[in-house]
Amino acid sequence: FAAAGAQAADCRPVAAEKPVAAKVGDFSRGLLWKIETPGSRPSHLFGTFHTSDPRIVTLPCPVRQAFDAASSYTMEMIMNGTGLVSMAEAMFFRDGQTLKQVLGDALYRETLEAMNLEPSQAGAIDTMKPWAIMLVFSSPRHQGRGLFLDIALQLDATRLNKPTYGLESMQEQIEVFNGMRIEDQVVMLRDTLQTHRLLSGIMEELTQLYLRRDLAGLVALSDKYRPEDTRVHRALMDRLLTRRNHNMATRMAERLKEGNAFIAVGALHLPGEHGLLRLLTDAGYRVSPVY
């Protein structure tokens, strides 16, 4: 782990230019934002991409400089062994239900085929919940052998003796999916199976949009592959982004008051009417693009 953290300390030189903003409050482009409030030193909010792709884990130099100079590091959730065990336990039925019962024969067979499993190998997944299977398909693959960006930053913060904080608990993150109706989980899994063969292409498109700091493009691509069931999509976005964004904006206030904080969350939490950039602006903070 020490080697991974040390490697992440390198930075990627980028052109010295800021995102083009047509007007104040245009949050369509930019990954690093300065957050200012009277009486406190400026802090920074950074949009991450949950991947180990070295093109992304090697931070742009303006981002690396802001991180290194910060007094504290805040992430969505601090990763530790206890939290990972809780996540693993939540992914499985504990009430006697099985994946086959929940999905029905046809969708169950399709799931096995997509996972390259024979019926005799189904025991490996037969007590997993639909949302857990969906996450298996949705997780980035073959994008480098190192740590995901958020975890690499957590490790660097430890190496630099920065206090580290989480905006959410593991239980809250688990409940985003685990708290959804089982029928909605099945709908999400069905849609995921329809697009999983396109995943490598989608991930590269996401990567290119991220490298261009195109927040509006990331939102548009996410919408392009949303579930056909509008109700399920709205319910998921409410749980995945809207509610969490409002909680995050409230909880980061203490760090912003302390000042000189570096706060990192997934890039899709930044834009939109209920995005963090808008919520912080509405709360009276001065928000401006850095990179």
Side-chain angles (χ1 to χ4, degrees):
F1 284 106
Q7 186 176 10
D10 298 332
C11 69
R12 172 164 48 89
V14 294
E17 56 95 10
K18 292 183 178 180
V20 177
K23 58 182 179 179
V24 174
D26 178 2
F27 305 128
S28 61
R29 186 167 181 262
L31 294 178
L32 182 66
W33 298 77
K34 183 186 291 185
I35 313 296
E36 298 174 280
T37 187
S40 301
R41 294 175 63 188
S43 293
H44 288 89
L45 177 61
F46 175 54
T48 67
F49 188 3
H50 305 317
T51 179
S52 59
D53 189 323
R55 292 173 293 177
I56 290 174
V57 175
T58 302
L59 294 175
C61 290
V63 179
R64 170 56 61 186
Q65 291 162 6
F67 176 85
D68 287 348
S71 301
S72 66
Y73 172 57
T74 299
M75 58 195 299
E76 289 183 23
M77 179 195 66
I78 296 176
M79 298 296 293
N80 56 38
T82 302
L84 293 175
V85 170
S86 297
M87 172 65 83
E89 290 177 345
M91 296 171 77
F92 294 89
F93 289 116
R94 303 292 177 184
D95 57 3
Q97 290 190 89
T98 67
L99 187 65
K100 186 175 183 179
Q101 291 171 349
V102 168
L103 299 185
D105 289 343
L107 186 57
Y108 182 70
R109 286 195 302 270
E110 185 180 347
T111 302
L112 290 179
E113 291 173 3
M115 300 185 78
N116 296 315
L117 293 175
E118 297 293 333
S120 61
Q121 301 171 307
I125 66 165
D126 206 32
T127 57
M128 291 182 73
K129 298 175 182 177
W131 67 263
I133 299 291
M134 182 196 72
L135 290 185
V136 170
F137 283 120
S138 302
S139 298
R141 301 177 184 177
H142 309 301
Q143 293 186 308
R145 298 181 179 181
L147 300 173
F148 273 31
L149 173 57
D150 313 67
I151 308 304
L153 287 173
Q154 180 183 347
L155 200 64
D156 277 351
T158 300
R159 179 176 58 84
L160 296 171
N161 295 316
K162 295 183 189 294
T164 301
Y165 305 95
L167 294 172
E168 298 176 310
S169 68
M170 173 60 83
Q171 192 58 42
E172 287 174 317
Q173 288 217 345
I174 291 171
E175 279 302 303
V176 170
F177 294 107
N178 205 41
M180 294 192 76
R181 298 168 53 205
I182 196 70
E183 297 85 358
D184 292 353
Q185 294 181 37
V186 172
V187 170
M188 292 191 303
L189 176 57
R190 181 180 293 112
D191 284 325
T192 300
L193 288 173
Q194 291 175 354
T195 60
H196 86 278
R197 293 180 179 83
L198 305 174
L199 183 60
S200 60
I202 295 170
M203 290 306 302
E204 181 57 28
E205 191 172 355
L206 283 170
T207 297
Q208 292 301 325
L209 289 168
Y210 180 85
L211 291 172
R212 294 199 298 270
R213 293 162 282 152
D214 186 353
L215 297 180
L218 289 173
V219 172
L221 188 62
S222 176
D223 286 344
K224 180 179 178 181
Y225 294 102
R226 67 186 182 186
E228 294 181 4
D229 189 314
T230 302
R231 182 192 62 77
V232 172
H233 175 66
R234 287 176 178 171
L236 177 60
M237 290 300 101
D238 181 58
R239 300 177 72 89
L240 190 63
L241 291 178
T242 305
R243 297 186 201 179
R244 294 175 66 209
N245 287 350
H246 283 267
N247 287 336
M248 287 180 185
T250 299
R251 293 171 182 178
M252 67 176 63
E254 184 174 356
R255 303 282 82 80
L256 297 175
K257 183 179 180 180
E258 288 175 354
N260 197 33
F262 187 96
I263 302 170
V265 299
L268 281 175
H269 289 285
L270 301 186
E273 182 179 353
H274 295 282
L276 287 173
L277 298 173
R278 172 64 60 196
L279 294 176
L280 290 172
T281 299
D282 291 346
Y285 294 94
R286 182 169 181 246
V287 177
S288 56
V290 176
Y291 172 76

